[in-house]
Amino acid sequence: QVQLVESGGGLVQAGGSLRLSCAASGGIVSINVMGWYRQAPGKQRELVAVITSGGSTVYADSVKGRFTISRDNGKKTVFLQMNSLKPEDTDVYYCNADVSDLISHSRFNYWGQGTQVTVSS
């Protein structure tokens, strides 16, 4: 069983910055893709950015040029640097990890508990 623990959310003014972190622990696993998604009340969860173990990245169009995703494979941690934040970035941000269990060779997907990001205008 893998646990994802997020940190770094909070309240910031428009134009400001926040850095989210998500650390994975537990299990004997190899982490494939890690990423961030966000969800507003009553809406579907949407992709923000993902990164592979090799460092390839994908971003939502709405955050390109403002957000940067990175990861520390040794620490099983993924980061999301968010700059030039806008009120429309206000959401609960969820960490996600796609992992391969090194014992069973099965693949699993895990979610963090979510962290609130609020951008005031």
Side-chain angles (χ1 to χ4, degrees):
Q1 185 75 10
V2 172
Q3 294 80 42
L4 301 178
V5 178
E6 300 141 336
S7 60
L11 173 64
V12 66
Q13 287 189 330
S17 298
L18 283 173
R19 189 185 194 221
L20 305 182
S21 300
C22 172
S25 63
I28 302 175
V29 299
S30 171
I31 300 181
N32 306 313
V33 180
M34 297 189 81
W36 292 94
Y37 293 72
R38 63 188 183 187
Q39 186 172 23
K43 293 189 176 182
Q44 283 193 325
R45 194 169 295 185
E46 63 178 18
L47 180 145
V48 176
V50 294
I51 184 168
T52 68
S53 56
S56 297
T57 58
V58 175
Y59 293 93
D61 288 343
S62 59
V63 307
K64 284 180 181 176
R66 299 188 298 122
F67 292 10
T68 302
I69 190 169
S70 60
R71 64 189 281 177
D72 183 330
N73 289 329
K75 295 183 178 179
K76 296 182 180 178
T77 301
V78 64
F79 307 96
L80 186 67
Q81 178 66 44
M82 304 185 293
N83 298 328
S84 302
L85 282 160
K86 304 175 181 180
E88 51 263 44
D89 294 317
T90 296
D91 270 325
V92 178
Y93 284 69
Y94 294 90
C95 177
N96 179 268
D98 177 85
V99 308
S100 296
D101 188 294
L102 298 179
I103 304 299
S104 68
H105 304 291
S106 298
R107 200 154 175 169
F108 300 94
N109 192 270
Y110 294 95
W111 291 96
Q113 79 284 359
T115 185
Q116 177 69 47
V117 171
T118 302
V119 184
S120 63
S121 57

